[in-house]
Amino acid sequence: MSEPVLPGDATLRSTALALDAADPLAHFRDRFYIDDDDVCYLDGNSLGRLPLETVSAVGEFMNDEWGAEAVDGWSHWIDEAASVGDILASAALGTEAGQTLVCDTTSVNLYQLVGAAIRANSDRKTIVVDAANFPTDRYIVQGLADTFGLTIVTLDTDGSGGPGSVSVEARDDLLTVAALEPILTDQVAVLTLQTVNYRSGARADMKAINDLARSRGIYVVWDCAHAIGSIELDFDATGVDLAVGCTYKYGNSGPGAPAWLFVRKSLQPVLNPPIQGWFAQKDQFAMGPVFEPTDTIRRFQIASPSIMGLRSVKMAFEMIGEAGISAIARKAELGTEYMIRLVDEWLVPLGFRLGTPREALQRGGHITIHHPNAKQIALAMRKVSKVIPDFRMPDGIRIALSPLPTSFVEMWDGLARTRDLVASGEYKNVTDEGNRVT
Ligand SMILES: Cc1ncc(COP(=O)(O)O)c(C=O)c1O
């Protein structure tokens, strides 16, 4: 794949209009609930917008199924974690059916898969995490290491430390195979990394890392929360065996919608997750005295799925399937290229620094810009300029395009308003009211 090419002068609004006119996905914007067209919503990497069809799908489920059928509905709801998992896998993971469940949260699913990998590699006593992993991933690993008596090695890419920290070179959080090479010894049971880093947006080379880890008998559990729905994951080509992710970011499935987990078919009979719930039991309704798990993907399901949540995941991932993940990924590459160009032209002269790799295949759907006053600027973007980004410690503002609803004009307007806000110094008048969520 070559780097995306932008036509004309990126700083002209007419270029954004031309990009929208040529965008094969532009019409999908009309299928989302957009309350105020003047808002530049550049936070789809945190929470995706609401697809209009989800409102009717969930409403129909309530009336026609829960309302009309009550408990009888379970006869056809019972396997929906797996059937919606197949829809999600076909739309966004690049792999076969029978290996994905939509269930629980990313955190619970990570616990299940890292725990299963530890149990399978029980003669090894080390677990490797990245200091730049999303906090929940690092905290869950700390709990698992305590439970199973493992030592943690934290790849300290940014000086923030962590249990067993080892200093590792990584520009913009982009880990290389060369940096991992000496750390992945024969004592390592499992390594867990993010496909797209939640802070910088850097994208790991999953194939190279999987190949190295596999050659040393190490399981890799990928957290794809920031990747799914913005890049081609291609699990078969990249050799992913174990992965988790959410559905509420580029997946547009709603706040707290069920997450997903992926276990490659060949590993399903040999891995044993630490939480052994009744949905994993081979003969589930025999209600027997001893846990005897099935050999299928259901072995990784703990309990009753949220059918309402599953319906919104189904609707959103059918839309992703309809658009095509390769078209979505191309738009993310072009859109991030466009935003980087505008940052270089407008924001770097105002004291910002780009914190995301410049090569399209080394990033996902968001970029991060740093500024000493980032927290106050991010707040003012929201309050004064009607631009929605998010802020991440210590000085990062993340701005994303969500390929289905976000337009190029929205990106242009958002960055032009940010430029004006900072150039005028107006952001300094905004006070932080102490919102717990940034
Ligand atoms: C990379 C990553 N992993 C995990 C999580 C946590 O997900 P959950 O709250 O669904 O467990 C998030 C949340 O934003 C995330 O960005």
Side-chain angles (χ1 to χ4, degrees):
M1 205 230 50
S2 53
E3 291 290 310
V5 179
L6 290 168
D9 179 351
T11 63
L12 300 177
R13 199 167 190 269
S14 55
T15 301
L17 287 164
L19 284 164
D20 279 331
D23 174 11
L25 302 179
H27 60 284
F28 278 94
R29 183 176 170 86
D30 296 338
R31 290 168 61 181
F32 286 83
Y33 184 94
I34 294 178
D35 185 48
D36 178 353
D37 209 28
D38 194 36
V39 167
C40 302
Y41 191 73
L42 303 180
D43 206 12
N45 60 315
S46 187
L47 180 67
R49 285 188 183 270
L50 166 64
L52 295 170
E53 286 137 281
T54 299
V55 179
S56 37
V58 173
E60 279 159 23
F61 163 72
M62 300 262 203
N63 288 318
D64 304 347
E65 297 186 46
W66 180 17
E69 299 176 52
V71 74
D72 287 346
W74 275 116
S75 62
H76 61 96
W77 300 329
I78 190 84
D79 290 320
E80 258 189 53
S83 59
V84 178
D86 289 345
I87 291 170
L88 179 142
S90 148
L93 302 184
T95 192
E96 301 286 305
Q99 306 178 99
T100 308
L101 290 176
V102 175
C103 59
D104 299 302
T105 60
T106 311
S107 302
V108 170
N109 293 339
L110 189 92
Y111 181 86
Q112 283 288 74
L113 298 198
V114 173
I118 291 171
R119 291 178 81 183
N121 253 348
S122 58
D123 53 334
R124 298 178 173 218
K125 294 293 171 211
T126 304
I127 175 161
V128 179
V129 291
D130 184 353
N133 275 6
F134 190 78
T136 204
D137 300 29
R138 291 181 277 114
Y139 305 156
I140 282 168
V141 160
Q142 289 169 24
L144 281 165
D146 276 354
T147 308
F148 289 95
L150 266 70
T151 304
I152 300 173
V153 170
T154 302
L155 307 168
D156 190 4
T157 48
D158 59 3
S160 64
S165 72
V166 174
S167 181
V168 166
E169 280 289 311
R171 190 178 151 78
D172 296 333
D173 299 328
L174 186 65
L175 273 174
T176 60
V177 173
L180 283 171
E181 228 274 331
I183 289 157
L184 298 185
T185 67
D186 62 6
Q187 269 312 295
V188 177
V190 52
L191 161 71
T192 180
L193 296 173
Q194 298 162 105
T195 301
V196 171
N197 187 278
Y198 86 100
R199 289 190 311 206
S200 70
R203 185 195 313 190
D205 183 343
M206 290 203 295
K207 173 147 179 31
I209 294 173
N210 285 332
D211 287 349
L212 173 66
R214 189 173 297 107
S215 73
R216 297 183 178 183
I218 299 165
Y219 290 104
V220 186
V221 181
W222 289 99
D223 178 344
C224 304
H226 264 90
I228 185 164
S230 69
I231 66 167
E232 286 180 275
L233 281 163
D234 237 331
F235 278 0
D236 289 347
T238 50
V240 171
D241 285 333
L242 300 167
V244 300
C246 70
T247 59
Y248 47 70
K249 299 178 186 291
Y250 302 102
N252 306 316
S253 302
W260 56 273
L261 62 81
F262 167 86
V263 180
R264 189 161 292 287
K265 207 157 230 155
S266 55
L267 290 177
Q268 290 169 11
V270 296
L271 292 185
N272 293 301
I275 306 177
Q276 304 182 157
W278 73 304
F279 265 68
Q281 183 76 347
K282 189 188 286 173
D283 193 354
Q284 186 182 358
F285 286 88
M287 309 277 175
V290 176
F291 181 63
E292 287 167 334
T294 161
D295 281 350
T296 68
I297 189 66
R298 186 158 60 77
R299 187 182 182 100
F300 300 85
Q301 185 169 353
I302 300 170
S304 309
S306 158
I307 304 299
M308 258 180 297
L310 282 168
R311 293 306 166 90
S312 58
V313 176
K314 178 171 185 279
M315 188 49 71
F317 278 86
E318 280 174 349
M319 197 192 280
I320 287 173
E322 183 189 331
I325 195 65
S326 61
I328 287 174
R330 296 294 88 76
K331 182 165 172 186
E333 286 158 16
L334 184 63
T336 46
E337 186 73 20
Y338 186 55
M339 293 197 292
I340 288 173
R341 185 76 64 84
L342 294 177
V343 165
D344 285 341
E345 295 277 352
W346 291 340
L347 301 187
V348 169
L350 295 172
F352 284 88
R353 171 178 70 79
L354 179 70
T356 299
R358 288 180 179 274
E359 295 76 24
L361 286 186
Q362 289 184 347
R363 59 177 188 254
H366 78 271
I367 65 167
T368 298
I369 51 178
H370 299 276
H371 189 282
N373 301 329
K375 191 165 188 194
Q376 202 174 11
I377 293 170
L379 194 64
M381 285 166 75
R382 210 173 264 264
K383 282 193 167 181
V384 178
S385 310
K386 294 173 96 174
V387 181
I388 316 291
D390 62 20
F391 166 75
R392 285 293 171 264
M393 290 291 283
D395 64 353
I397 297 175
R398 299 188 305 184
I399 44 181
L401 75 143
S402 186
L404 297 182
T406 310
S407 68
F408 285 89
V409 162
E410 199 173 8
M411 293 179 240
W412 191 95
D413 285 349
L415 285 162
R417 289 182 207 171
T418 305
R419 173 200 60 199
D420 296 344
L421 181 76
V422 176
S424 67
E426 203 188 342
Y427 74 90
K428 293 181 182 148
N429 304 327
V430 173
T431 47
D432 185 352
E433 283 151 13
N435 192 337
R436 208 165 84 75
V437 182
T438 61

